[in-house]
């Protein structure tokens, strides 16, 4: 289980997150929606401690961290509980697809090279890149790079995988292959928090949808509740703008 | 005076014996300079209080003064310092026991360090922040992330400029004649002093320096090809 309590973050005087509480059950897929600047990406980055929250508490699995008194060691511990898939992929540029997936296993998890390699190959095959093991990121398409990114996150067997707009940087044609992979692993019961603008994906895959605006959670619920029967005015407005077909599909 | 082509060859042969001195001075100053440069660059990038200001001061002072001046300052200043310390703490080290080439090692390392600090800093800054974040996200500590992810990429970016520094130090090493160390250039002067055929001797020295420089360029090209295997991008 992942539990965020009272997460607060400001950049200078600009308050980005205002006392956010969020609970994600094991095996759940939570999608965070919201306009840009709503703080959704920052929230995700706080879970991985790429942003340091000013206040609050993060619980992942059995590891609890108080953001006010977090030592370096605590942060490293917390980071090992989660893995991140980035909007810009952020694959290690100087390493091949296989080495990218192996890196964390060898350096952080201290697996032997052989074991790491076997596991990494299996994962790359799973995301459909068994034939690209020795390709460098610069030789891969955006969709392929992002699938390597997903394999890299999966390899660590984290409690939760965090997806930060995983398809936003992709050509429309390549979005499908990445979403297919995310769907596939969602079915395997891996806990995920996904920030995305893909409404179709959110509807199909999410167990729970969270709508954020202005640094707070405006509304949350099941996809059916949130998409078909939003309660808050701000949510209605947002959904109307982002999915105009809703107007006549009901 | 007429050109004596045969003496160019004679001088060239005699100059060969001074090549090791030049290479050792270059290698030592570049190696220690690289370490100093790396530390200086990291202090500045991470804005470590006090130390980063000292690092910035070091870079601006050294780059703002000639290499020859560094050598002379070390040559005249270091003995005073050593003797004063020896007297203070009762050490048995005497400044006269420092070999001449030692002054060159120390001063040129300091020179190289300041220039390389900026080269390395630019290389580190060229690495996308996302690379570091990805390293953190897989659970690496900062030292692990720097060593395994950031440094290799920064090195690849800095390589052309680093080779420039190495060549600069190779040529700068000719200044050691001022502290009576015989490098290639000093040797040329000695060789010519018997028959006054300075032009021929210096021409021979030039040929050797050019040869060494070509060698450095070649080695850089090979390394560059190797570590830039991953980089199919850029404007080229």
């Amino acid at each position: 289980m992942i539990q965020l309590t009272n997460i607060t973050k400001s950049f200078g005087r600009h308050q980005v997150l205002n006392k956010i509480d969020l609970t994600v059950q094991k095996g759940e897929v939570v999608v965070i929606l919201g306009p840009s600047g709503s703080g959704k990406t920052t929230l995700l980055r706080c879970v991985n401690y790429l942003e340091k929250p000013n206040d609050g508490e993060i619980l992942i699995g059995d590891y609890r961290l108080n953001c006010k008194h977090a030592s370096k060691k605590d942060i490293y511990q917390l980071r090992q509980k989660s893995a991140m898939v980035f909007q810009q992929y952020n694959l290690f540029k100087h390493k091949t697809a296989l080495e990218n997936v192996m890196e964390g296993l060898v350096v952080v998890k201290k697996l032997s090279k052989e074991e790491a390699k076997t596991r990494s190959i299996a994962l790359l095959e799973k995301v459909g890149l068994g034939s690209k093991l020795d390709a460098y990121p610069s030789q891969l398409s955006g969709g392929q790079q992002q699938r390597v990114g997903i394999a890299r996150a999966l390899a660590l067997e984290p409690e939760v995988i965090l997806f930060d707009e995983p398809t936003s940087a992709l050509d429309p044609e390549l979005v499908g292959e990445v979403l297919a992979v995310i769907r596939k692993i969602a079915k395997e019961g891996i806990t995920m928090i996904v920030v995305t603008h893909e409404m179709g994906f959110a509807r199909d895959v999410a167990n729970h949808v969270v709508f954020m605006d202005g640094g707070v959670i405006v509304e949350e619920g099941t996809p059916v509740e949130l998409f078909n029967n939003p309660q808050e005015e701000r949510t209605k407005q947002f959904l109307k703008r982002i999915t105009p077909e809703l107007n006549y599909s009901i | 005076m007429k050109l004596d082509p045969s003496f160019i060859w004679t001088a060239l042969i005699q100059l060969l014996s001074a090549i090791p001195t030049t290479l050792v001075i270059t290698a030592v100053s570049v190696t220690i300079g690289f370490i100093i440069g790396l530390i200086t660059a990291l202090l500045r990038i991470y804005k470590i209080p006090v130390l980063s200001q000292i690092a910035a001061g070091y870079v601006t002072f050294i780059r703002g003064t000639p290499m020859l001046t560094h050598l002379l300052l070390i040559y005249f200043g270091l003995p005073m310092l050593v003797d004063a310390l020896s007297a203070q703490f009762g050490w048995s080290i005497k400044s006269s026991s420092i070999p001449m080439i030692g002054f060159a090692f120390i001063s040129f390392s300091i020179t190289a360090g300041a220039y390389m600090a900026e080269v390395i800093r630019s290389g580190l800054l060229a690495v996308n922040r996302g690379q570091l974040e990805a390293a953190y996200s897989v659970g690496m500590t900062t030292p692990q992330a720097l060593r395994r992810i950031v440094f290799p990429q920064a090195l690849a970016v800095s390589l052309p400029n680093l080779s420039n520094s190495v060549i600069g130090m190779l040529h700068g090493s000719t200044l050691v004649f001022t502290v009576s160390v015989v490098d290639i250039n000093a040797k040329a002067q000695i060789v010519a002093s018997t028959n006054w055929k300075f032009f021929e001797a210096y021409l021979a020295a030039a040929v050797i320096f050019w040869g060494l420089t070509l060698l450095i360029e070649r080695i850089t090209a090979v390394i560059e090809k190797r570590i830039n295997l991953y980089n199919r991008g850029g404007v080229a």
Side-chain angles (χ1 to χ4, degrees):
Chain A
M1 188 173 83
I2 293 100
Q3 194 167 35
L4 309 178
T5 320
N6 198 28
I7 297 293
T8 302
K9 170 77 186 170
S10 46
F11 293 117
R13 296 178 62 184
H14 176 58
Q15 181 120 18
V16 187
L17 296 176
N18 194 357
K19 299 184 176 172
I20 299 271
D21 293 317
L22 181 67
T23 304
V24 180
Q25 298 300 334
K26 200 170 163 55
E28 219 175 22
V29 178
V30 171
V31 167
I32 305 179
L33 303 174
S36 56
S38 59
K40 53 195 193 306
T41 290
T42 307
L43 179 65
L44 203 67
R45 288 166 61 86
C46 281
V47 179
N48 204 234
Y49 239 82
L50 291 176
E51 298 299 348
K52 188 188 177 324
N54 301 116
D55 196 9
E57 209 175 70
I58 301 172
L59 171 85
I60 304 181
D62 52 4
Y63 197 79
R64 188 183 294 274
L65 181 123
N66 185 322
C67 301
K68 273 213 162 141
H69 323 274
S71 72
K72 259 194 176 157
K73 222 177 130 206
D74 296 332
I75 294 168
Y76 292 139
Q77 287 274 326
L78 182 83
R79 283 206 186 114
Q80 293 196 25
K81 301 278 174 190
S82 63
M84 186 100 163
V85 174
F86 296 89
Q87 185 176 4
Q88 300 294 341
Y89 333 126
N90 291 356
L91 295 185
F92 303 131
K93 265 172 55 178
H94 61 309
K95 294 188 179 286
T96 62
L98 180 61
E99 287 167 344
N100 261 281
V101 182
M102 283 172 65
E103 187 69 11
L105 294 177
V106 175
V107 179
V108 181
K109 303 267 175 193
K110 309 284 181 206
L111 258 61
S112 74
K113 277 223 160 116
E114 292 310 307
E115 208 181 332
K117 195 171 172 182
T118 320
R119 252 166 82 172
S120 304
I121 292 174
L123 282 165
L124 281 167
E125 277 167 356
K126 187 174 182 175
V127 298
L129 290 173
S131 61
K132 296 281 184 189
L133 299 180
D134 295 322
Y136 285 100
S138 62
Q139 299 164 317
L140 297 172
S141 74
Q144 290 169 333
Q145 288 189 55
Q146 193 59 296
R147 284 187 279 151
V148 175
I150 294 170
R152 177 172 71 181
L154 281 171
L156 303 163
E157 297 181 342
E159 298 272 343
V160 57
I161 300 184
L162 311 164
F163 292 85
D164 181 15
E165 305 197 24
T167 57
S168 301
L170 293 173
D171 284 351
E173 279 182 66
L174 303 178
V175 170
E177 66 183 55
V178 172
L179 289 183
V181 169
I182 301 177
R183 274 199 173 93
K184 188 165 145 190
I185 58 175
K187 282 205 185 100
E188 291 173 13
I190 289 170
T191 316
M192 309 198 286
I193 305 179
V194 188
V195 169
T196 185
H197 293 297
E198 294 289 330
M199 292 302 144
F201 172 83
R203 245 174 222 265
D204 298 354
V205 183
N207 308 109
H208 195 82
V209 182
V210 174
F211 175 68
M212 280 181 74
D213 190 26
V216 294
I217 293 179
V218 175
E219 189 171 352
E220 55 182 311
T222 65
V224 177
E225 285 167 6
L226 203 100
F227 285 117
N228 297 354
N229 191 18
Q231 300 300 309
E232 301 288 331
E233 201 47 47
R234 186 67 189 90
T235 318
K236 285 180 196 163
Q237 236 177 23
F238 176 77
L239 289 173
K240 208 176 207 167
R241 209 152 25 94
I242 208 150
T243 50
E245 70 268 35
L246 264 180
N247 290 340
Y248 43 83
S249 70
I250 299 172
Chain B
M1 283 286 257
K2 253 181 71 189
L3 183 73
D4 177 358
S6 72
F7 188 68
I8 300 174
W9 181 252
T10 315
L12 197 79
I13 300 298
Q14 294 193 47
L15 294 188
L16 293 180
S17 67
I19 291 180
T21 309
T22 292
L23 287 184
V24 166
I25 295 171
T26 310
V28 168
S29 57
V30 164
T31 309
I32 301 180
F34 183 82
I35 297 166
I36 297 175
L38 182 62
I39 295 168
T40 308
L42 286 173
L43 289 175
R44 294 190 69 185
I45 284 178
Y46 280 95
K47 298 195 175 71
I48 312 287
V50 187
L51 291 179
S52 82
Q53 280 83 1
I54 293 174
Y58 158 69
V59 170
T60 170
F61 178 73
I62 296 300
R63 294 202 310 167
T65 45
M67 190 165 164
L68 178 58
T69 311
H70 307 156
L71 182 61
L72 294 173
L73 284 176
I74 291 291
Y75 182 67
F76 291 110
L78 193 65
M80 282 198 255
L81 184 71
V82 169
D83 289 339
L85 288 174
S86 284
Q88 181 81 32
F89 298 103
W91 297 338
S92 55
I93 315 165
K94 264 192 272 168
S95 62
S96 55
S97 62
I98 305 173
M100 288 302 174
I101 204 168
F103 293 105
F105 288 162
I106 295 171
S107 92
F108 291 169
S109 297
I110 292 172
T111 311
Y115 286 96
M116 288 180 140
E118 288 300 275
V119 171
I120 295 169
R121 195 165 70 93
S122 78
L124 289 171
L125 290 175
V127 177
N128 193 319
R129 189 161 174 84
Q131 296 287 313
L132 191 62
E133 291 188 348
Y136 285 150
S137 81
V138 300
M140 285 192 209
T141 61
T142 307
Q144 283 172 335
L146 288 178
R147 209 172 54 239
R148 301 202 45 106
I149 307 300
V150 178
F151 289 166
Q153 292 183 33
L155 190 67
V157 178
S158 322
L159 205 65
N161 284 326
L162 284 175
S163 90
N164 238 347
S165 295
V166 175
I167 293 169
M169 292 316 292
L170 173 76
H171 298 167
S173 72
T174 51
L175 295 172
V176 288
F177 78 92
T178 51
V179 295
S180 333
V181 176
V182 180
D183 75 314
I184 295 168
N185 220 40
K187 184 79 179 179
Q189 196 176 6
I190 293 168
V191 166
S193 60
T194 52
N195 58 7
W196 294 79
K197 290 182 175 164
F198 285 103
F199 179 72
E200 288 82 349
Y202 284 129
L203 200 59
V207 169
I208 292 179
F209 274 114
W210 191 17
L212 292 175
T213 306
L214 283 176
L215 192 69
I216 294 172
E217 286 174 346
R218 267 300 142 83
I219 294 172
T220 313
V222 171
I223 301 175
E224 197 171 356
K225 209 168 171 191
R226 250 213 188 151
I227 64 179
N228 264 321
L229 210 62
Y230 66 86
N231 236 340
R232 300 283 151 87
V235 282

